[in-house]
Amino acid sequence: MNRNLFWLVLISMYFPSLQAQTKRLSNETPQQKEQRMKWWTNDRFGMFIHWGLYALPARHEWVKNRERLSNEQYRKYFDEFDPDHFEPERWAKEAKAAGMKYAVLTSKHHEGFCLFDSKYTDYKAPDTKAHRDLVKEFVNAFRKEGLKVGFYYSLIDWHHPDFTIDKNHPLRPADTKDSAAYARLNKGKDMAKYRTYLFNQVRELLTNYGKIDILWLDFSYPGPFGKGHDDWHSKELLAMVRKLQPEIIVNNRLDLNDYADGYDFVTPEQVSSEALNAFKGKTFETCQTFSGSWGYYRDETSWKTHRQLLDLLISSVSNGGNLILNVGPTARGEFDYRATSALDSLAYWMHANNKAIYNCTYPPRDFRIPEGDRMSYNAATKRAYLFLYRYPENGELVLRGYSHKIKYAQFLNDESELLYKESDAQPDNLIVTLPKLKPPYEIPVVELILK
Ligand code: GLC
């Protein structure tokens, strides 16, 4: 081995992330990727929709796994599925009003039920009392409202007879480390056949519905009794996806993390707003629920407050990432009152403050942010947005190190001027006078117009 090669091997053993950056599947340049991702980076805020048969039991989309239900035991939900209130135009209007710019629907979740018309199965919406392709209606409705559309497709399938039983399967053995038990349960199952099904369905989704903007493939859990890229043939799958839809944006759950282009964005799931600080500078989209589960869960009481939802949105953008917020429609096909009221309150805030969200990212390093607040930044319009998490009681907002930076300040919601002066003690600091009366927004925004 020559000297350089020796060092390269040694370094990449100790720094696998370096290795990751050098391994590639395609020859797309960073500039081309930036261009492809541009709308997504600008839009920042999307809607996730988890809808499937699990809306009927209404106690988590993993109910089949949690209660270890067989296909026969789960069958009643297929038989009863009858979404008489399914009007995706209403979903699209609510999403749009809340300021969301794209939506991703579960075309199939882990339970295996398909909301779309697939040639390869009869476990699908057109064969239920719905009698139609619900994905097609979703796509048309959201496109009509000017939103971008995406599909979630579960790599996992707890209904397909050839999908081998693993540690996450509803029919897993009592002892999930017992390899002999798996061997017994998987006798006659052929993952290769399932894989063909998976490829066929992804091809259908990316062929029959026009331009699809995002694909969310979910998920890998490599290791003993799990599944990863070898099970899905992830490289080939991704190549097919990119061939069918060259502009599409793909998430990171194919277990191709060793490749710089094995995914387009990372997906921190249900993390706290503080934890998002660690993702600053990465291309990320945090996915979050209104309450704990993704599918409709009737008895859940842990709904996030308006402030918590705003905090997640603001924390995503001010760290340079996106938020995709989930709604789990009911079995009848509508958003329940709690989801609607959460969306309405976001709509109210976004109407007044969305300039601090779209096309924004984190501010340059030398922009100091008052303790406890957050800030976003729009490089194109040269504006910085200060999110007032704590409204100063004495009516004085101190901005340290800003006197050479800004030329005007106002509230974003009504563009009313905010007067400021240099601090006598420290001329580089500005003292902004705020009205006693806090603007009627949970987290008001100060817009700083930069020199
Ligand atoms: C997880 C869950 C799933 C949900 C998804 C959303 O992987 O399995 O139920 O669809 O995350 O990010």
Side-chain angles (χ1 to χ4, degrees):
M1 192 183 301
N2 78 32
R3 252 177 102 88
N4 287 346
L5 193 62
F6 171 79
W7 283 111
L8 202 72
V9 171
L10 199 73
I11 289 171
S12 60
M13 272 167 62
Y14 283 96
F15 297 99
S17 59
L18 282 181
Q19 205 180 9
Q21 273 147 23
T22 52
K23 277 172 74 176
R24 303 192 67 89
L25 295 163
S26 76
N27 47 21
E28 185 183 50
T29 66
Q31 292 75 12
Q32 286 167 331
K33 179 173 176 187
E34 198 182 310
Q35 204 45 43
R36 183 165 56 83
M37 304 281 295
K38 203 169 169 99
W39 70 263
W40 185 90
T41 312
N42 288 349
D43 287 356
R44 291 295 183 216
F45 190 24
M47 175 180 274
F48 221 159
I49 305 172
H50 275 66
W51 195 43
L53 298 182
Y54 44 80
L56 285 99
R59 51 181 190 272
H60 206 278
E61 77 283 357
W62 276 57
V63 60
K64 193 175 187 189
N65 161 294
R66 289 182 167 187
E67 299 177 15
R68 297 174 181 255
L69 304 174
S70 66
N71 282 351
E72 294 66 38
Q73 289 167 312
Y74 206 74
R75 177 79 199 182
K76 59 186 173 188
Y77 306 126
F78 180 90
D79 294 339
E80 294 306 324
F81 185 66
D82 185 11
D84 62 333
H85 282 165
F86 175 65
E87 282 176 57
E89 299 74 25
R90 294 181 61 180
W91 297 2
K93 287 204 164 74
E94 286 190 52
K96 187 177 180 175
M100 293 156 160
K101 297 278 198 177
Y102 60 98
V104 177
L105 171 70
T106 50
S107 58
K108 177 192 96 171
H109 203 261
H110 310 334
E111 64 179 2
F113 176 69
C114 300
L115 292 177
F116 62 107
D117 194 4
S118 169
K119 268 205 315 227
Y120 304 98
T121 184
D122 48 16
Y123 199 53
K124 58 182 178 183
D127 287 26
T128 65
K129 294 184 176 121
H131 296 301
R132 59 205 205 275
D133 184 331
L134 304 175
V135 166
K136 183 171 274 164
E137 294 186 19
F138 155 80
V139 168
N140 292 341
F142 278 73
R143 273 206 200 114
K144 203 167 126 212
E145 287 300 323
L147 279 88
K148 298 259 191 313
V149 293
F151 294 148
Y152 169 109
Y153 180 85
S154 174
L155 298 164
I156 301 165
D157 194 313
W158 297 329
H159 176 80
H160 196 284
D162 284 303
F163 185 88
T164 52
I165 292 173
D166 56 34
K167 64 180 180 186
N168 284 337
H169 198 281
L171 303 183
R172 63 197 172 278
D175 172 2
T176 52
K177 294 194 172 80
D178 179 353
S179 23
Y182 285 104
R184 270 196 305 278
L185 288 164
N186 283 324
K187 215 158 168 215
K189 290 187 188 292
D190 182 356
M191 242 335 246
K193 283 198 189 139
Y194 171 69
R195 222 166 16 241
T196 305
Y197 177 78
L198 155 70
F199 274 66
N200 282 338
Q201 289 207 319
V202 172
R203 191 178 310 105
E204 287 185 313
L205 286 168
L206 300 186
T207 309
N208 297 345
Y209 301 91
K211 183 163 190 243
I212 299 307
D213 301 290
I214 304 179
L215 185 63
W216 241 89
L217 295 166
D218 200 33
F219 65 85
S220 300
Y221 39 111
F225 316 116
K227 285 190 172 65
H229 56 80
D230 288 338
D231 299 282
W232 321 125
H233 283 190
S234 295
K235 280 198 246 176
E236 293 76 6
L237 186 60
L238 187 60
M240 180 183 86
V241 167
R242 298 226 185 271
K243 186 152 181 241
L244 293 171
Q245 297 269 350
E247 306 275 293
I248 206 163
I249 296 176
V250 185
N251 74 334
N252 69 333
R253 296 191 179 176
L254 271 170
D255 187 28
L256 289 176
N257 298 337
D258 286 352
Y259 297 89
D261 54 356
Y263 56 92
D264 291 321
F265 62 94
V266 297
T267 53
E269 178 173 330
Q270 301 273 56
V271 300
S272 70
S273 58
E274 295 79 41
L276 290 172
N277 298 346
F279 291 89
K280 187 170 163 185
K282 297 209 168 85
T283 310
F284 77 88
E285 172 190 75
T286 182
C287 44
Q288 301 275 345
T289 58
F290 280 140
S291 49
S293 85
W294 298 88
Y296 177 65
Y297 197 133
R298 183 191 56 207
D299 302 337
E300 209 158 46
T301 53
S302 58
W303 284 63
K304 293 186 178 91
T305 62
H306 174 57
R307 189 178 177 88
Q308 286 171 318
L309 296 173
L310 276 187
D311 178 29
L312 285 168
L313 177 61
I314 293 167
S315 303
S316 304
V317 175
S318 61
N319 281 304
N322 288 20
L323 168 67
I324 187 163
L325 195 54
N326 180 73
V327 183
T330 68
R332 297 187 70 178
E334 59 188 356
F335 296 174
D336 91 325
Y337 66 99
R338 294 162 295 188
T340 299
S341 94
L343 288 167
D344 285 350
S345 56
L346 287 169
Y348 172 75
W349 189 91
M350 280 295 276
H351 172 77
N353 296 300
N354 66 25
K355 285 186 195 166
I357 301 297
Y358 303 139
N359 207 4
C360 287
T361 183
Y362 48 85
R365 281 181 81 144
D366 60 322
F367 281 52
R368 291 174 63 184
I369 304 167
E371 178 82 28
D373 292 340
R374 289 207 182 258
M375 186 181 275
S376 71
Y377 173 77
N378 185 325
T381 59
K382 294 185 77 180
R383 278 149 206 248
Y385 297 99
L386 179 63
F387 300 95
L388 294 178
Y389 275 57
R390 274 185 289 186
Y391 197 79
E393 270 171 28
N394 63 0
E396 275 195 1
L397 171 69
V398 183
L399 296 177
R400 293 177 209 286
Y402 279 81
S403 64
H404 299 293
K405 286 192 179 25
I406 70 172
K407 58 180 185 194
Y408 191 79
Q410 58 187 4
F411 274 129
L412 177 58
N413 61 281
D414 60 359
E415 297 193 348
S416 59
E417 182 179 15
L418 293 169
L419 297 171
Y420 57 86
K421 60 177 189 340
E422 288 179 1
S423 140
D424 294 335
Q426 182 52 269
D428 206 23
N429 294 348
L430 297 179
I431 317 269
V432 184
T433 307
L434 298 182
K436 285 244 152 16
L437 209 60
K438 179 185 164 189
Y441 297 91
E442 180 62 40
I443 300 180
V445 184
V446 173
E447 182 173 45
L448 302 172
I449 298 167
L450 307 172
K451 280 184 182 160

